[in-house]
Amino acid sequence: MNLKKKYGNYELHPQMKITGYENEIWDEKKEIIEELKRAVQEKQKEKKTCILSFDLYPGVRKEEMMELANALQPDRIFDIEDCAKDEETLLREFKDYITDDRVFGIMCHKTIDTWFESEKLETMKKAIETERAEEKDTNGGLIVIVGTAAELLTEADLLVYCDLTRWEVQLRYRSGMPNWHSTNYNDPILTKYKRGFFIEWRLADRYKKERYEKFTYLLDTEKENAPVLTTGNAFRGALQQLARQPFRMEPYFDPGVWGGQWMKENFGLDASKENFAWSFDGVPEENSLNLEIGGKVLKVPAQDLVFYAPHELLGERVHGRFGAEFPIRFDLLDTMGGQNLSLQVHPLTEYIYEKFGMPYTQDESYYLLDADEDEETYVYLGLKEGVDKKRDGAGTPCSRKRRRTFPCGKICQQNPGQKTRSCADSGRNGALLRKKHDGAGDQCDTVYLYLQTLGLGPPWHGWTAASDPPRPRYEKYPVEPRYQMGVRQYRRPAENTGKNRKL
């Protein structure tokens, strides 16, 4: 197998240079504490008592924020999580969104205040007001509030928003971190991720989007005990700059059941890992932005850019159709030296909306970047004629317990794998670029073929990975959707013909 390096210019940690805010970033704890103390003193000149909030995205290590809070020597610290509903109540009230399914849930439409007991919030609000009203010494007083959704208690004089990427949250789940205000340390990773994806991130993002303009500071909490602080002014200015220029996100790599060796070899990844199945590179929901400001690097979720400047980033038509969602996702799939990629089907828009609360479905295009020249490489594209689910085993459960192999070669059309051609689902020995368009989220909109054969999966509108994208909405945009992005796409073969039919 030939895995020689062919791509020596792939940046694993791209940085986007931001200008105009060189003196508004601090990456040493001592400097951060000094800057916050300076800001507190300025506020104390205006008000006798200053209120500073460390508002945490779910997953931020609260103990680290408490350490910073104590370093400011406040008169009192309030922890909003003391007002949270107990774990049993949270599970009961959000059960309909979590569901009993191992993988699938429903997008939660609630707001973050539903995590808290209203009476406890009112009691803490009164305690804060009482503390603020008390006479302090001539230097003025300081009250610090710590926790997720701290602004529910009172509008702070100084708001420090403590941010974190979803990928880092997932890594912390794997290392044993439980869900927010929970004790499920030993739950399967998929269980934690499902609660994060369908509930916690939705509520936290909804809360955060409403407060970008209020951020006095933004704190990058990605690295343990190595926070980076910037002003809210610099943070917002950086996002505005990026929305009007080309930029790259920082990719991440993860192993998987079909994982291969191509990315490891070509990108110089960790050689100790068994394989790498995929790389997310161009997925704002998952990836981060490395903002280089004054020679220092601030890491923020790329989703912040989508939320803060959707119109500038997406344009009028896309923003009008999808809202503050980035409707294209790019990732690399590596089966070189690995196993067959999963066969996939995707739900219709109506189904995904009714069953999972998602406003649109997903269509995909695959582009073969490389293929093994010494071994057989192939792709599956559509069903063979005359396939019978029962007779040909297409309805046979392919569960992990039974260790059965799905008979893809028996029921699917098998095509030679060639570089720079589009395909549906790859066999082994291929490296692919996958473009997901008109789709957001990587849980509900991708299902495995055996779920459908069991009657458990959603209906599909094509056996290929690239089903029908929307037609142009206006006649003045006569773009043939089948050739967007330079990748030809196919639909399910027409009935009683063995050929793919172009729309």
Side-chain angles (χ1 to χ4, degrees):
M1 180 177 297
N2 184 4
L3 291 176
K4 65 182 180 181
K5 289 189 177 182
K6 304 177 183 179
Y7 300 88
N9 60 347
Y10 187 80
E11 288 285 341
L12 296 178
H13 307 285
Q15 296 180 7
M16 302 295 105
K17 187 174 180 61
I18 304 299
T19 59
Y21 307 98
E22 289 74 13
N23 298 319
E24 298 183 37
I25 185 169
W26 303 266
D27 61 358
E28 297 289 341
K29 273 191 178 181
K30 183 179 179 181
E31 295 177 346
I32 292 172
I33 293 168
E34 289 176 353
E35 169 59 22
L36 293 179
K37 284 184 175 180
R38 184 202 62 77
V40 168
Q41 291 171 0
E42 287 296 317
K43 287 295 180 182
Q44 286 173 336
K45 293 177 182 178
E46 305 170 14
K47 297 182 178 181
K48 188 87 172 173
T49 298
C50 174
I51 296 180
L52 183 148
S53 289
F54 288 100
D55 208 326
L56 281 53
Y57 196 84
V60 172
R61 296 184 179 94
K62 189 169 68 174
E63 60 273 15
E64 291 185 21
M65 300 306 103
M66 282 293 187
E67 182 182 336
L68 284 178
N70 282 305
L72 300 177
Q73 300 177 322
D75 296 285
R76 188 169 176 183
I77 296 176
F78 290 89
D79 182 354
I80 190 173
E81 202 166 323
D82 292 339
C83 302
K85 296 174 180 177
D86 61 74
E87 184 176 4
E88 183 180 349
T89 301
L90 288 172
L91 287 172
R92 183 176 65 253
E93 293 185 358
F94 287 87
K95 185 180 186 302
D96 289 343
Y97 301 95
I98 300 172
T99 75
D100 295 324
D101 190 276
R102 176 175 172 269
V103 177
F104 299 123
I106 298 173
M107 289 293 194
C108 185
H109 67 277
K110 294 186 178 183
T111 52
I112 207 164
D113 58 294
T114 55
W115 282 353
F116 300 91
E117 297 281 0
S118 57
E119 292 183 0
K120 291 182 178 179
L121 283 177
E122 288 301 318
T123 299
M124 189 169 285
K125 286 179 183 179
K126 292 178 181 178
I128 292 170
E129 288 302 315
T130 299
E131 187 75 20
R132 179 157 48 183
E134 290 181 357
E135 288 292 323
K136 302 297 179 184
D137 58 36
T138 55
N139 293 323
L142 173 61
I143 298 171
V144 173
I145 304 171
V146 178
T148 299
E151 283 278 288
L152 293 179
L153 289 171
T154 187
E155 185 173 336
D157 301 307
L158 297 171
L159 174 56
V160 182
Y161 192 84
C162 309
D163 219 346
L164 189 64
T165 65
R166 290 186 187 175
W167 176 236
E168 178 60 24
V169 174
Q170 293 176 62
L171 293 178
R172 294 182 186 186
Y173 285 157
R174 296 180 187 183
S175 65
M177 184 186 78
N179 288 100
W180 186 83
H181 199 64
S182 299
T183 57
N184 60 334
Y185 300 94
N186 298 318
D187 272 6
I189 304 304
L190 192 55
T191 300
K192 298 178 184 179
Y193 177 78
K194 190 174 77 165
R195 285 176 58 181
F197 183 88
F198 289 103
I199 299 174
E200 294 173 6
W201 300 342
R202 305 302 152 187
L203 272 60
D205 287 345
R206 198 168 289 134
Y207 171 88
K208 180 167 66 169
K209 281 192 290 187
E210 298 173 349
R211 290 168 172 79
Y212 280 117
E213 295 296 341
K214 295 182 178 181
F215 293 176
T216 313
Y217 295 97
L218 189 286
L219 190 68
D220 163 14
T221 66
E222 195 87 354
K223 294 183 179 178
E224 187 172 3
N225 291 313
V228 181
L229 182 76
T230 193
T231 63
N233 183 52
F235 169 67
R236 291 183 290 269
L239 298 182
Q240 289 168 352
Q241 287 184 28
L242 290 186
R244 294 173 171 84
Q245 69 181 54
F247 64 92
R248 265 203 70 199
M249 305 169 219
E250 182 176 75
Y252 71 78
F253 305 85
D254 216 23
V257 293
W258 64 76
Q261 307 300 314
W262 189 90
M263 289 194 294
K264 186 193 299 187
E265 178 66 25
N266 282 277
F267 299 161
L269 305 181
D270 187 352
S272 66
K273 298 293 185 181
E274 182 179 356
N275 66 57
F276 286 98
W278 45 26
S279 162
F280 276 34
D281 189 348
V283 184
E285 284 187 278
E286 311 287 350
N287 292 136
S288 60
L289 292 167
N290 292 322
L291 309 179
E292 193 266 295
I293 306 173
K296 301 173 182 178
V297 178
L298 180 84
K299 187 187 293 288
V300 300
Q303 191 76 333
D304 282 340
L305 175 58
V306 182
F307 288 156
Y308 184 68
H311 190 84
E312 296 86 346
L313 178 67
L314 303 173
E316 183 176 353
R317 291 182 63 230
V318 177
H319 183 213
R321 165 62 180 88
F322 297 100
E325 295 276 356
F326 196 81
I328 304 179
R329 300 159 60 87
F330 295 92
D331 55 273
L332 292 164
L333 303 174
D334 184 0
T335 65
M336 193 78 84
Q339 303 297 320
N340 287 353
L341 186 63
S342 59
L343 283 159
Q344 300 178 5
V345 292
H346 299 281
L348 296 166
T349 301
E350 180 181 15
Y351 189 96
I352 201 171
Y353 179 75
E354 289 182 352
K355 300 299 181 181
F356 306 115
M358 288 179 157
Y360 49 89
T361 188
Q362 175 174 295
D363 303 306
E364 294 186 357
S365 303
Y366 288 75
Y367 194 83
L368 252 66
L369 293 176
D370 204 354
D372 196 290
E373 299 172 359
D374 303 321
E375 297 188 34
E376 183 182 22
T377 304
Y378 48 85
V379 297
Y380 298 116
L381 183 63
L383 295 178
K384 292 180 177 179
E385 285 192 50
V387 169
D388 182 89
K389 184 169 71 172
K390 293 183 179 180
R391 184 193 68 208
D392 298 314
T396 304
C398 304
S399 68
R400 294 178 180 177
K401 292 181 179 179
R402 297 194 182 193
R403 304 291 180 187
R404 299 181 68 93
T405 301
F406 186 81
C408 48
K410 188 176 180 181
I411 69 170
C412 298
Q413 295 185 44
Q414 186 171 304
N415 305 274
Q418 301 171 0
K419 288 195 295 184
T420 67
R421 65 165 290 176
S422 62
C423 65
D425 293 289
S426 172
R428 56 193 178 90
N429 299 328
L432 305 98
L433 168 68
R434 175 166 63 175
K435 176 175 72 75
K436 303 181 182 180
H437 45 89
D438 285 3
D442 55 326
Q443 279 283 341
C444 291
D445 52 12
T446 302
V447 294
Y448 289 95
L449 181 57
Y450 72 84
L451 289 176
Q452 180 59 59
T453 61
L454 291 172
L456 300 176
W460 65 91
H461 51 197
W463 282 93
T464 73
S467 44
D468 302 341
R471 294 183 179 277
R473 295 178 182 81
Y474 307 103
E475 291 185 2
K476 69 177 182 177
Y477 297 102
V479 178
E480 170 53 62
R482 289 265 158 217
Y483 293 87
Q484 291 177 347
M485 300 295 292
V487 180
R488 189 175 181 182
Q489 304 167 19
Y490 297 89
R491 65 173 295 169
R492 187 179 181 181
E495 192 108 15
N496 299 323
T497 73
K499 301 178 182 179
N500 291 308
R501 179 165 55 88
K502 180 170 74 85
L503 283 183

